[in-house]
Amino acid sequence: MNTHIPPVDFGRRMLVLRRRRIAVRLQWRSVVVCAVLAVVIAGAAVLALMTGSYALGPGQVLAALTGRETGIVHDIVVEWRLPRVAAALMFGAALGVSGAVFQSLLRNPLADPGIVGFSQGSYTGALIVILVVNGSYAQLVGGALLGGMVTAVAVYVLAYRRGVQGFRLIIVGIGVSAMLGSLNTWLILKADLDQAMSAAAWGVGSLNGVSWNQVAIGGACIAGLLLLAGVLGRPMRQLELGDDAAASQGVRVSPARLGLILVGVALTATVTAASGPIAFISLVAPQIGRRLTRTAGITLAPAAFVGALLCLVSDYLAQHIAPTPLPVGIITVILGGGYLGYLLFTEARRRL
């Protein structure tokens, strides 16, 4: 009697990578989507490095990147334009992963670090360093991280009632965000005119003036946080099934949720410290990534690639769509606001 049981086909092709005792399962569609997005990002990055008041050809850009070009071309590509492109890619990926974490935890497509107040908390901490302490960039990073963490703890505590429900946390976060927004406005109004103008422009979210120093510090922080987010990716997916189901699979629910919240807040705070709060990327990127990969839940890698592409394209448009370069946050608000309207419209139609 043949007792062989054939493997169950769940309708999705999987790629399994094994290394000693470690095995990683990836969906083929997600791998293909991320690969295509990587190619598009590379093309957009080359275009951004080519375009400007001093136009360059793709050959000149590639020669400058490989060290075969010197002089003014090398300075334009490597010293002036490349830090901005690298910052857009890193910060966009960080915001995409941060949004994916919160949308997965709260099981709500409208969950966003900006909506629940964490971005405003980071902005408040950075404003205090800029306007009150007049500190260095390292202090600015610390202030943004501290402000975001304090806001996250406050929202978590205020929303805790025998556990944290996603809807309650969003409502509490919206209230805290409004309070912090008023505090930020008061801080700017009380500051000197020059400081207030720079702080207000920075508060829109801008990559103007980004240097290699900011890219190096922010990139190191973001790389470590993305690695930690990847480690917490499996508990995050199990938490989407509910606390009881996750606990039955060995997940320590409260520590895992708190760790994911801290990682998401730290990613947002790191970006805010370097460029100001760039709105809507963390809201839009996870949902676009989920629709491209057609997965049931939110996945981190597609959200990171989509976030990087959105930030890079938005910054390119901000530099060239008007005679004077605009803050990237203005473009992301336009794109994100349109997507938010579309999302609300589709949700309303679904309930009819």
Side-chain angles (χ1 to χ4, degrees):
M1 180 177 180
N2 186 9
T3 59
H4 175 70
I5 300 176
V8 179
D9 183 8
F10 292 101
R12 293 184 180 273
R13 297 182 62 188
M14 305 298 296
L15 174 64
V16 181
L17 303 177
R18 290 186 174 89
R19 181 72 176 180
R20 295 180 181 178
R21 297 185 178 181
I22 300 175
V24 179
R25 297 173 70 250
L26 304 172
Q27 290 188 10
W28 265 111
R29 185 178 179 87
S30 297
V31 174
V32 172
V33 167
C34 290
V36 172
L37 288 173
V39 173
V40 176
I41 288 171
V46 172
L47 178 63
L49 294 174
M50 290 169 48
T51 311
S53 57
Y54 192 102
L56 299 172
Q60 292 175 295
V61 170
L62 295 177
L65 293 176
T66 55
R68 293 184 288 109
E69 187 75 55
T70 59
I72 186 64
V73 173
H74 177 273
D75 292 339
I76 290 174
V77 173
V78 177
E79 300 298 332
W80 299 349
R81 296 178 183 173
L82 187 57
R84 185 165 186 150
V85 171
L89 294 176
M90 290 189 305
F91 297 165
L95 292 173
V97 171
S98 177
V101 167
F102 285 110
Q103 291 180 17
S104 176
L105 281 179
L106 302 179
R107 296 191 281 274
N108 192 319
L110 297 179
D112 175 74
I115 293 177
V116 297
F118 301 153
S119 296
Q120 284 286 3
S122 300
Y123 184 37
T124 301
L127 275 182
I128 292 174
V129 173
I130 294 173
L131 302 179
V132 180
V133 181
N134 195 21
S136 63
Y137 176 68
Q139 292 173 320
L140 181 64
V141 174
L145 286 171
L146 182 61
M149 293 299 178
V150 170
T151 304
V153 172
V155 172
Y156 191 88
V157 170
L158 292 173
Y160 190 88
R161 294 292 184 277
R162 297 179 181 177
V164 176
Q165 300 295 326
F167 180 75
R168 187 189 301 127
L169 191 142
I170 291 176
I171 296 300
V172 172
I174 290 174
V176 172
S177 178
M179 294 173 60
L180 291 175
S182 300
L183 175 60
N184 295 340
T185 302
W186 181 80
L187 288 172
I188 293 175
L189 291 176
K190 288 296 183 180
D192 294 335
L193 180 59
D194 293 338
Q195 285 185 319
M197 291 179 64
S198 63
W202 178 79
V204 179
S206 175
L207 298 178
N208 296 329
V210 172
S211 65
W212 277 119
N213 181 47
Q214 294 169 302
V215 171
I217 296 175
C221 295
I222 289 172
L225 291 169
L226 290 180
L227 181 61
L228 188 57
V231 172
L232 294 172
R234 184 178 179 184
M236 184 188 78
R237 291 190 296 271
Q238 291 171 327
L239 285 172
E240 291 181 352
L241 303 175
D243 292 356
D244 294 337
S248 67
Q249 298 179 23
V251 177
R252 299 174 62 188
V253 174
S254 295
R257 180 181 286 113
L258 182 59
L260 286 165
I261 290 176
L262 292 178
V263 169
V265 171
L267 286 169
T268 301
T270 303
V271 175
T272 302
S275 62
I278 301 176
F280 281 110
I281 289 181
S282 52
L283 173 69
V284 174
Q287 293 300 314
I288 295 178
R290 186 175 69 86
R291 282 164 171 76
L292 290 175
T293 57
R294 298 179 184 175
T295 55
I298 301 295
T299 50
L300 297 180
F305 279 98
V306 172
L309 180 61
L310 284 176
C311 192
L312 180 60
V313 171
S314 297
D315 186 58
Y316 180 84
L317 294 175
Q319 292 184 74
H320 304 291
I321 200 172
T324 302
L326 301 173
V328 64
I330 293 178
I331 305 300
T332 59
V333 165
I334 295 173
L335 298 178
Y339 174 78
L340 180 60
Y342 164 77
L343 188 63
L344 293 174
F345 176 75
T346 55
E347 288 293 326
R349 286 189 59 185
R350 186 178 303 173
R351 296 184 179 182
L352 292 178

